């Protein structure tokens, strides 16, 4: 890498397989960000070296071992893992055992994801895949860090937003209003159809098992089975018709994009390896792990779950502004997915706790400034949530 590169290489030994990797590391000041959205997602990202504009910084947020695909957030804790007694004594052995067990199976989540990462051909998709794999590896531990999992999924949501909106870098042409909404809705429907098919098969197996189990003691079992069969056939028809309609919608979306002058990019609607789209690829991963997020909204729902778990444990989040920010994030993310009751609860928590905290530290200008900012956002978004809930 030349001196004008915003990246430099950092050597780290993989704690799972022992491979010495050289990971790309972002230099301080390599890019600038615009204002952040209500969930702290940056609106504009501009690299000082324009040749790197195709890369989102979140591509380098996690790193993946080139040999065993072990993935972790690329922070100081990982860079210094060999000096972390707690990690080496309590976590390393368990994670290594479970990860290598996954790796030994050629057809496994770890292998499929690891072999699909390509920084050059699919930089945006690879960012999502790496963060998904980091979440998967974190969950291999008996006591995963819920706060980290929440942070991973929130950033996955940001990447989906970046890919679908196309407005986070200055060199991408703005997309026409509402084209993104149409595409996002079609992708969500596609994911729903995939779940319908999977759960229909599950239902068939469950009904068959039930009928076999009670066949000798239930004289009405044949009638019950017939009712189930008819209803399941209706589900199959729904799935078949829905798939046909979705295919027509995808064709119409392409027509709309063409008429609106939208340039094809690496968004979730474009081909990914042998799959028709990245969303289709992600949906196929559900057979390995149901924790994969296939859209921005799914990623947010999962993020909320883990943020709440971390918040309620009272152990993973530091007191003061970090607690305020976590409560606010839970509220705002809940509002975004339409869970207005949870949003109201945590907005109220943020406002009440924030006012008390500001009163306690009123002599500390730096911490009170941040607390006031979070409090102002909670009050503004809290009013928005109440209006949306009506």
């Amino acid at each position: 890498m030349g001196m004008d590169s915003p990246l430099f290489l950092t050597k780290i030994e993989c704690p799972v397989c022992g491979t010495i990797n050289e990971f790309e590391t972002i230099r301080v000041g390599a890019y600038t960000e615009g204002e952040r959205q209500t969930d702290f997602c940056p609106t504009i990202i501009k690299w000082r070296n324009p040749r790197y504009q195709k890369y989102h910084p979140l591509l380098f947020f996690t790193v993946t071992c080139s040999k065993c695909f072990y993935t972790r957030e690329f922070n100081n804790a990982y860079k210094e893992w060999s000096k972390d007694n707690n990690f080496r004594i309590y976590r390393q052995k368990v994670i290594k055992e479970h990860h290598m067990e996954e790796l030994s199976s050629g057809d496994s989540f770890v292998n499929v994801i690891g072999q699909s990462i390509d920084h050059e051909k699919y930089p945006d998709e690879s960012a999502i895949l790496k963060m998904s794999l980091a979440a998967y590896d974190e969950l291999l531990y008996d006591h995963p860090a819920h706060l980290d999992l929440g942070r991973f999924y929130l950033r996955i949501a940001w990447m989906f937003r970046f890919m679908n909106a196309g407005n986070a870098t200055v060199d991408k042409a703005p997309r026409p209003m509402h084209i993104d909404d149409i595409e996002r809705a079609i992708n969500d429907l596609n994911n729903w159809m995939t779940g319908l098919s999977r759960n229909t098969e599950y239902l068939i197996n469950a009904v068959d098992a039930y009928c076999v189990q009670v066949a000798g003691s239930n004289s009405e079992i044949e009638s019950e089975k017939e009712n189930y069969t008819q209803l399941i056939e209706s589900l199959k028809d729904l799935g078949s018709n829905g798939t046909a309609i979705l295919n027509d919608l995808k064709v119409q979306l392409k027509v709309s994009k063409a008429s609106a002058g939208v340039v094809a990019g690496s968004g979730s609607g474009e081909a990914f390896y042998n799959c028709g789209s990245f969303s289709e690829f992600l949906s196929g991963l559900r057979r390995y792990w149901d924790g994969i997020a296939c859209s921005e909204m799914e990623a947010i729902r999962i993020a909320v779950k883990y943020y709440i778990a971390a918040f309620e444990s009272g152990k993973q989040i530091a007191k003061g502004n970090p607690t305020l920010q976590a409560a606010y994030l839970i509220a705002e993310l809940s509002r975004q997915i339409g869970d207005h009751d949870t949003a109201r609860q945590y907005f109220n928590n943020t406002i009440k706790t924030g006012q008390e905290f500001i009163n306690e530290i009123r002599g500390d200008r730096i911490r009170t400034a941040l607390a006031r900012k979070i409090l102002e956002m909670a009050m503004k978004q809290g009013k928005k949530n109440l209006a949306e809930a009506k």
Side-chain angles (χ1 to χ4, degrees):
M1 294 183 181
M3 292 300 294
D4 62 338
S5 172
L7 307 173
F8 64 94
L9 297 178
T10 301
K11 288 186 178 181
I12 296 181
E13 178 185 355
C14 175
V16 170
C17 70
T19 299
I20 303 298
N21 292 282
E22 287 191 327
F23 295 127
E24 293 175 313
T25 310
I26 299 177
R27 297 182 188 276
V28 175
Y31 64 91
T32 57
E33 296 179 347
E35 293 184 3
R36 290 181 174 262
Q37 298 173 337
T38 56
D39 59 2
F40 306 120
C41 177
T43 54
I44 296 176
I45 293 170
K46 184 177 181 180
W47 290 86
R48 297 191 184 281
N49 186 331
R51 287 184 296 171
Y52 289 82
Q53 196 63 32
K54 77 171 190 174
Y55 302 112
H56 194 290
L58 285 177
L59 177 62
F60 310 100
F61 178 72
T62 54
V63 288
T64 301
C65 175
S66 59
K67 182 177 181 180
C68 75
F69 305 135
Y70 173 68
T71 305
R72 188 167 159 182
E73 180 180 351
F74 195 31
N75 54 17
N76 288 332
Y78 187 29
K79 295 173 185 177
E80 301 292 332
W81 72 263
S82 61
K83 301 176 183 178
D84 185 346
N85 291 331
N86 182 69
F87 174 79
R88 290 190 297 104
I89 295 173
Y90 298 106
R91 294 173 64 94
Q92 184 180 8
K93 181 179 179 181
V94 176
I95 292 174
K96 181 177 181 178
E97 178 182 341
H98 292 322
H99 185 91
M100 294 305 288
E101 182 179 351
E102 282 280 317
L103 191 68
S104 65
S105 173
D107 185 31
S108 67
F109 183 81
V110 169
N111 275 303
V112 172
I113 288 281
Q115 294 169 11
S116 301
I117 294 170
D118 188 327
H119 282 205
E120 293 306 311
K121 190 175 182 180
Y122 299 111
D124 296 343
E125 293 88 345
S126 293
I128 290 177
L129 294 180
K130 288 166 63 180
M131 288 187 284
S132 298
L133 195 48
Y136 187 81
D137 272 325
E138 181 63 30
L139 287 166
L140 292 179
Y141 183 55
D142 297 335
H143 305 287
H146 292 133
L147 181 59
D148 286 343
L149 288 165
R151 292 169 54 250
F152 294 164
Y153 278 103
L154 176 59
R155 283 158 178 77
I156 290 172
W158 291 353
M159 279 306 305
F160 276 120
R161 191 180 307 167
F162 167 78
M163 293 171 67
N164 289 330
N167 63 353
T169 58
V170 295
D171 66 343
K172 291 188 177 181
R175 294 158 69 94
M177 186 180 297
H178 303 310
I179 281 284
D180 301 320
D181 296 330
I182 294 172
E183 184 171 14
R184 186 177 296 113
I186 291 175
N187 287 336
D188 286 345
L189 284 168
N190 188 75
N191 296 332
W192 183 84
M193 288 301 303
T194 301
L196 174 64
S197 176
R198 183 177 65 253
N199 283 295
T200 299
E201 291 299 319
Y202 181 85
L203 177 60
I204 292 171
N205 294 331
V207 169
D208 288 343
Y210 164 73
C211 291
V212 170
Q213 183 180 35
V214 303
S217 60
N218 187 346
S219 60
E220 302 294 329
I221 190 61
E222 289 302 322
S223 176
E224 289 185 34
K225 186 174 182 179
E226 179 62 26
N227 289 337
Y228 274 120
T229 300
Q230 292 179 5
L231 293 168
I232 288 171
E233 286 302 316
S234 297
L235 277 177
K236 289 181 178 179
D237 290 340
L238 176 62
S240 178
N241 293 334
T243 299
I245 294 171
L246 268 175
N247 288 335
D248 290 342
L249 282 169
K250 291 174 183 178
V251 172
Q252 183 56 53
L253 175 62
K254 289 183 178 180
V255 172
S256 297
K257 283 184 173 181
S259 65
V262 176
V263 180
S266 64
S268 58
E270 304 302 325
F272 182 74
Y273 289 103
N274 295 326
C275 292
S277 68
F278 185 48
S279 293
E280 180 182 327
F281 173 78
L282 292 175
S283 296
L285 294 176
R286 291 191 188 280
R287 69 189 181 98
Y288 301 104
W289 182 42
D290 61 5
I292 193 74
C294 298
S295 68
E296 177 186 343
M297 289 298 104
E298 285 188 11
I300 290 176
R301 289 188 188 97
I302 301 173
V304 169
K305 178 181 73 172
Y306 285 120
Y307 270 118
I308 289 177
F311 188 86
E312 292 183 345
S313 73
K315 298 178 181 179
Q316 299 181 18
I317 305 174
K319 302 296 183 182
N321 282 325
T323 297
L324 284 182
Q325 183 167 306
Y328 167 77
L329 261 179
I330 293 171
E332 174 57 14
L333 295 177
S334 297
R335 184 197 65 79
Q336 290 182 17
I337 59 175
D339 185 356
H340 300 295
D341 288 339
T342 300
R344 184 183 68 255
Q345 174 189 343
Y346 279 92
F347 276 132
N348 290 341
N349 179 296
T350 306
I351 294 168
K352 179 178 182 297
T353 306
Q355 290 171 337
E356 293 174 350
F357 181 61
I358 290 172
N359 186 56
E360 290 175 6
I361 61 166
R362 53 184 177 272
D364 189 328
R365 292 185 178 181
I366 296 177
R367 288 199 296 165
T368 53
L370 177 56
R372 289 185 189 282
K373 178 64 176 177
I374 297 173
L375 184 58
E376 290 171 2
M377 293 173 67
M379 295 174 70
K380 179 179 178 180
Q381 297 306 109
K383 291 179 180 178
K384 187 174 182 180
N385 180 67
L386 290 176
E388 293 172 344
K390 292 180 179 178

